[in-house]
């Protein structure tokens, strides 16, 4: 390349340019005349043979090695808004979307940097923002069962580290009895400090379902676990990052030292790094928001956003009536719930008194999971684009009897409570409110693995129909919102073949509005593996509503290479050999309304819409 000039260039001329809402007298430079290392502060223009570079106010252009012209901001962005702290309807909508956008950006960061198929491809994770009290502000549309329960994780970290958290600290936990849900879901929590580092303004959190966290079966979803130790490695308030340094050696010791240790600690470490990166992205974006709008305005609008959610739920409650429901599970356990609505106060009591006592199996659910289900259900009743946040539960009083399967005592097993019982609580609430037929009521948790491979997925089924809408076929329902791994990816990463993934046509519950159809999934194994299913509605069909028919139950079986067939229970593990095929037939959704009502056919053919939560 030609030698660069030794003397800094001088402007060729000055011209008038309109930038940032006003006119500026701007110097114009020739790119070829710039000397190595020369810096030009904006506003300025740099001309070259094939283009023009505008250096805006507050930016600087520097010619560096190999003649690269590098632009960087050298002055802080001026605050563009001088907001008061009173709620403005327009700015309320702006902040609703800004908070959700930050959570969405966190999710993109996590998916892009994670290692496991479960987080990177299936998107089995959730990201959210929390206020200084650990209450949910906003979330991305990730996993409802995660999002409604994460506040308790934040508050557990707050209690155990009061007065000791410092900038650069990050914590991890999965203990179901101290803010977690079940052991595979590991939550990473980052406190966000003020500029003077004296106070905590917010928390960011990323919860990811780890493909394996130890336990008695690969994939950490054991169908037969009877205590929490058998389900994997328990992390309670583990300091993951201290003063900006990842405590990797200590983390690996924790993952490897349990009675049933993690099978792939390197993958856990990689995914936890990605979760930290997601939290850091949230921190950066929150500070950018504060820089733009001012701290007092941002803090005020946190409260306005939560108050708006509470008011939206109060409005929905004014149209509801009292109701109760008893939900039968395959194991014989029952979830009883009553909803008592006070229309004058625009509030409600959700009472689970009468629910079965703590179970000997692993379908116990911590109260955080129940809270998540209640938050989700009442958020879906709001016909407005608001974030799902702590305000949604402000008008709700929640009663959960201690020692029941919804508030078990340690060390009860809980691995199915997060994924299965959460779905049952959700449908029990919809039954009490008489809103819609039951969904498939399960996540059809399918795991397989050995010493080298561990994989977990949830399998779609039918959603329930309601007044004015049919159910949806082969969809992830209610408390889960993950993807199915692409066949090309799963077959590349694991020794299996995806032989079929199809819709079970006409399996949805009959009614004026039809329940959604279930799905059929066939996986052929190419290596010896331990496979497991943890599911529901293999014996009890998903209910129909208002005269609608029940959905069909699901089934799971193994087709052996020798031609025999082995039926599996709703929660069972099995050894599979090369050539064996495991088949999961998922439940369908319940129907709504009597199919014989006059005008039912015309009503069914009318396009309908059902709002799902943001």
């Amino acid at each position: 390349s030609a030698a660069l000039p030794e003397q800094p260039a001088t402007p060729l001329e000055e011209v008038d340019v309109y930038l940032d809402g006003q006119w500026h007298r701007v110097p114009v430079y020739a790119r070829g005349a710039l000397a190595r290392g020369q810096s030009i502060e904006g506003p300025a223009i740099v001309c070259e043979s094939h283009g023009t570079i505008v250096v805006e106010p507050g930016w600087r252009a520097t010619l560096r090695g190999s003649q690269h012209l590098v632009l960087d901001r050298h002055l802080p962005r001026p605050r563009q808004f001088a907001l008061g702290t009173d709620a403005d309807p327009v700015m309320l909508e702006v902040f609703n979307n800004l908070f959700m956008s930050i959570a969405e950006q966190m999710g993109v960061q996590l998916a892009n940097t994670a290692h496991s198929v479960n987080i990177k491809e299936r998107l089995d994770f959730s990201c959210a923002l929390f206020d200084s009290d650990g209450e949910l502000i906003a979330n991305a549309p990730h996993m409802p069962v995660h999002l409604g329960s994460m506040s308790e994780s934040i508050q557990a970290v707050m209690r155990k580290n009061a007065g000791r958290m410092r900038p650069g600290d990050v914590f991890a936990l999965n203990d179901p009895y101290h803010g977690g849900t079940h052991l595979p879901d590991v939550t990473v929590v980052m406190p966000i400090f003020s500029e003077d580092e004296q106070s905590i303004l917010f928390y960011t959190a990323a919860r990811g379902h780890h493909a394996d966290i130890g336990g008695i079966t690969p994939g950490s979803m054991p169908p037969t676990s009877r205590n929490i130790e058998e389900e994997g490695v328990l992390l309670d308030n583990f300091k993951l990052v201290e003063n900006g340094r990842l405590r990797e050696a200590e983390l690996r010791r924790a993952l490897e030292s349990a009675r049933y240790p993690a099978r792939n600690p390197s993958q856990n470490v990689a995914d936890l790094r990605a979760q930290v990166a997601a939290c850091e992205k949230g921190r950066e974006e929150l500070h950018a928001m504060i820089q733009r709008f001012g701290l007092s305005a941002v803090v005020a609008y946190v409260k306005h956003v939560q108050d708006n959610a509470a008011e939206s739920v109060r409005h929905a409650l004014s149209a509801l009536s009292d109701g109760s429901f008893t939900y039968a599970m395959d194991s014989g356990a029952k979830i009883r719930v009553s909803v008592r609505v006070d229309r004058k106060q625009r509030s409600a009591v959700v009472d689970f008194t009468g629910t079965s006592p703590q179970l000997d199996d692993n379908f116990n659910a911590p109260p955080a999971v129940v809270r998540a289900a209640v938050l989700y259900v009442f958020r879906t009743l709001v016909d407005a684009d608001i974030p799902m946040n702590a305000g949604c539960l402000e008008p709700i009083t929640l009663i959960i009897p201690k020692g029941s399967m919804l508030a078990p005592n340690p060390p009860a097993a809980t691995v199915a409570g997060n994924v299965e019982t959460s779905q049952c609580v959700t449908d029990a609430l919809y039954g009490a409110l008489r809103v819609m037929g039951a969904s498939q009521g399960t996540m059809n948790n399918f795991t397989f693995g050995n010493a080298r491979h561990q994989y977990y997925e949830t399998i779609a089924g039918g959603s329930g129909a309601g007044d004015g809408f049919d159910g949806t076929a082969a969809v992830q329902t209610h408390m889960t919102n993950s993807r199915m791994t692409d066949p090309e990816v799963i077959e590349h990463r694991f020794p299996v073949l995806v032989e079929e993934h199809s819709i079970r046509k006409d399996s949805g519950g009959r009614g004026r509005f039809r329940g959604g159809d279930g799905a059929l999934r066939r996986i052929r194994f190419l290596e010896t593996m331990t496979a497991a299913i943890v599911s529901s509605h293999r014996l009890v069909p998903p209910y129909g509503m208002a005269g609608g028919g029940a959905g069909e139950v699901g089934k799971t079986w193994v087709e052996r290479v020798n031609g025999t067939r082995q039926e599996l229970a709703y929660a069972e593990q099995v050894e599979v050999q090369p050539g064996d095929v495991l088949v999961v037939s998922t439940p369908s959704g319940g129907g709504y309304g009597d199919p014989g009502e006059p005008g039912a056919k015309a009503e069914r053919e009318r396009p309908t819409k059902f709002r799902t939560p943001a």
Side-chain angles (χ1 to χ4, degrees):
S1 61
L4 293 173
E6 296 184 0
Q7 298 298 320
T10 57
L12 299 175
E13 59 176 326
E14 290 189 343
V15 297
D16 292 326
V17 178
Y18 192 79
L19 296 168
D20 283 354
Q22 60 183 333
W23 287 97
H24 297 264
R25 193 69 178 169
V26 171
V28 180
Y29 294 85
R31 169 74 178 265
L34 299 181
R36 189 185 306 277
Q38 181 175 353
S39 291
I40 299 169
E41 294 190 0
I45 292 176
V46 179
C47 294
E48 51 188 358
S49 56
H50 300 291
T52 302
I53 299 169
V54 178
V55 185
E56 296 190 358
W59 287 79
R60 175 172 50 211
T62 304
L63 192 68
R64 295 184 179 165
S66 302
Q67 300 188 40
H68 292 148
L69 194 63
V70 178
L71 275 69
D72 66 279
R73 173 172 283 281
H74 70 100
L75 294 177
R77 181 188 295 273
R79 185 172 299 161
Q80 297 180 14
F81 297 90
L83 284 179
T85 57
D86 293 335
D88 174 82
V90 173
M91 291 311 300
L92 179 66
E93 188 65 18
V94 168
F95 274 94
N96 273 342
N97 286 279
L98 279 173
F99 288 132
M100 286 192 288
S101 173
I102 293 174
E104 288 173 352
Q105 291 179 67
M106 292 170 64
V108 171
Q109 184 88 325
L110 178 50
N112 286 344
T113 54
H115 178 270
S116 69
V117 168
N118 201 53
I119 293 179
K120 193 174 193 67
E121 302 291 340
R122 288 191 57 251
L123 308 182
D124 195 346
F125 63 78
S126 296
C127 298
L129 314 177
F130 300 83
D131 63 21
S132 58
D133 294 325
E135 296 290 355
L136 181 63
I137 301 170
N139 55 267
H142 293 152
M143 306 288 285
V145 73
H146 290 172
L147 295 162
S149 57
M150 285 169 71
S151 288
E152 295 196 25
S153 296
I154 311 300
Q155 290 162 1
V157 168
M158 292 170 61
R159 286 193 302 270
K160 296 189 176 188
N161 300 279
R164 298 196 305 273
M165 285 187 278
R166 298 290 180 266
D169 289 349
V170 182
F171 304 86
L173 74 161
N174 66 353
D175 183 353
Y177 297 100
H178 295 92
T181 50
H182 65 175
L183 297 188
D185 283 343
V186 182
T187 306
V188 170
V189 179
M190 177 182 288
I192 310 302
F193 282 79
S194 57
E195 285 189 0
D196 61 10
E197 301 185 349
Q198 297 303 304
S199 61
I200 296 174
L201 304 176
F202 304 100
Y203 294 86
T204 57
R207 174 173 288 175
H209 186 115
H210 285 238
D212 187 277
I213 198 75
I216 57 178
T217 58
S220 305
M221 292 289 295
T224 60
S225 59
R226 295 295 179 265
N227 61 69
I228 199 73
E229 187 179 40
E230 294 177 336
E231 297 178 345
V233 177
L234 188 148
L235 302 172
D236 180 16
N237 189 43
F238 180 83
K239 185 174 281 189
L240 184 61
V241 179
E242 185 171 26
N243 195 27
R245 180 187 70 85
L246 180 70
R247 301 175 68 238
E248 183 170 345
E250 295 88 343
L251 174 60
R252 286 183 178 273
R253 280 199 297 271
L255 293 170
E256 296 169 357
S257 61
R259 181 181 177 188
Y260 301 102
R263 294 171 177 81
N264 190 350
S266 294
Q267 180 169 265
N268 297 120
V269 172
D271 283 346
L272 286 167
R273 283 180 178 272
Q275 289 174 251
V276 173
C279 290
E280 173 62 17
K281 179 64 175 177
R283 187 195 70 82
E284 293 172 359
E285 294 300 324
L286 280 168
H287 276 296
M289 180 189 288
I290 292 169
Q291 185 65 39
R292 186 178 188 192
F293 295 101
L295 178 59
S296 60
V298 172
V299 171
Y301 272 90
V302 166
K303 188 67 167 63
H304 297 328
V305 164
Q306 292 170 334
D307 288 346
N308 181 54
E311 180 59 28
S312 298
V313 172
R314 290 187 190 279
H315 179 73
L317 288 173
S318 65
L320 298 179
S321 301
D322 293 357
S324 61
F325 198 82
T326 300
Y327 188 97
M329 301 175 66
D330 288 350
S331 65
K334 289 181 171 60
I335 296 172
R336 285 197 173 96
V337 61
S338 65
V339 180
R340 299 187 291 275
V341 178
D342 186 331
R343 291 190 177 184
K344 183 177 180 180
Q345 297 295 324
R346 298 192 306 159
S347 63
V349 175
V350 177
D351 187 353
F352 289 93
T353 299
T355 293
S356 293
Q358 180 172 318
L359 306 172
D360 291 333
D361 60 25
N362 56 27
F363 281 71
N364 300 292
V369 169
V370 181
R371 186 178 186 271
V374 174
L375 175 57
Y376 167 82
V377 167
F378 282 92
R379 169 62 187 87
T380 63
L381 301 178
V382 175
D383 189 19
D385 290 325
I386 62 169
M388 185 169 75
N389 62 39
C392 295
L393 281 184
E394 186 178 313
I396 310 296
T397 299
L398 193 54
I399 300 174
I400 309 173
K402 288 189 67 65
S404 72
M405 62 175 289
L406 303 182
N409 298 310
T414 64
V415 74
N418 181 61
V419 290
E420 294 299 294
T421 307
S422 66
Q423 298 279 55
C424 299
V425 171
T426 300
D427 276 332
L429 284 165
Y430 282 131
L433 296 170
R434 299 182 290 280
V435 171
M436 59 188 295
S439 75
Q440 66 162 338
T442 176
M443 297 189 195
N444 302 292
N445 305 272
F446 173 43
T447 54
F448 62 77
N450 53 26
R452 291 192 306 124
H453 302 287
Q454 303 88 40
Y455 178 71
Y456 165 74
E457 68 180 16
T458 59
I459 306 176
S463 68
D467 188 7
F469 59 90
D470 292 329
T472 303
V475 67
Q476 300 281 1
T477 55
H478 294 324
M479 302 307 288
T480 182
N481 189 32
S482 59
R483 294 179 67 242
M484 297 299 299
T485 307
D486 291 337
E488 296 83 357
V489 173
I490 189 174
E491 292 179 356
H492 175 71
R493 294 283 293 268
F494 302 98
V496 299
L497 294 176
V498 180
E499 290 195 340
E500 181 179 354
H501 191 188
S502 60
I503 294 174
R504 300 199 300 114
K505 294 292 187 181
D506 298 323
S507 60
R510 305 307 193 255
R512 186 177 185 188
F513 298 96
R514 286 286 300 274
D517 293 332
L520 186 76
R521 187 161 173 84
R522 296 172 57 89
I523 301 289
R524 184 178 295 274
F525 294 92
L526 305 181
E527 281 186 17
T528 300
M529 296 270 190
T530 299
I533 186 75
V534 176
S535 62
S536 301
H537 288 298
R538 268 46 183 178
L539 300 174
V540 179
Y543 66 78
M545 180 59 64
E552 291 184 4
V553 296
K555 297 179 181 179
T556 310
W557 67 89
V558 179
E559 296 175 359
R560 299 292 185 181
V561 71
N562 63 8
T564 61
R565 171 168 163 156
Q566 179 182 354
E567 300 280 347
L568 301 183
Y570 64 88
E572 188 173 351
Q573 69 187 59
V574 63
E575 298 301 312
V576 290
Q577 305 301 321
D580 289 346
V581 178
L582 193 141
V583 185
V584 181
S585 173
T586 68
S588 58
Y592 186 95
D594 186 344
E597 289 180 9
K601 183 177 185 297
E603 188 75 26
R604 276 180 34 75
E605 292 175 350
R606 188 182 65 189
T608 57
K609 180 180 178 183
F610 177 57
R611 174 171 295 279
T612 53

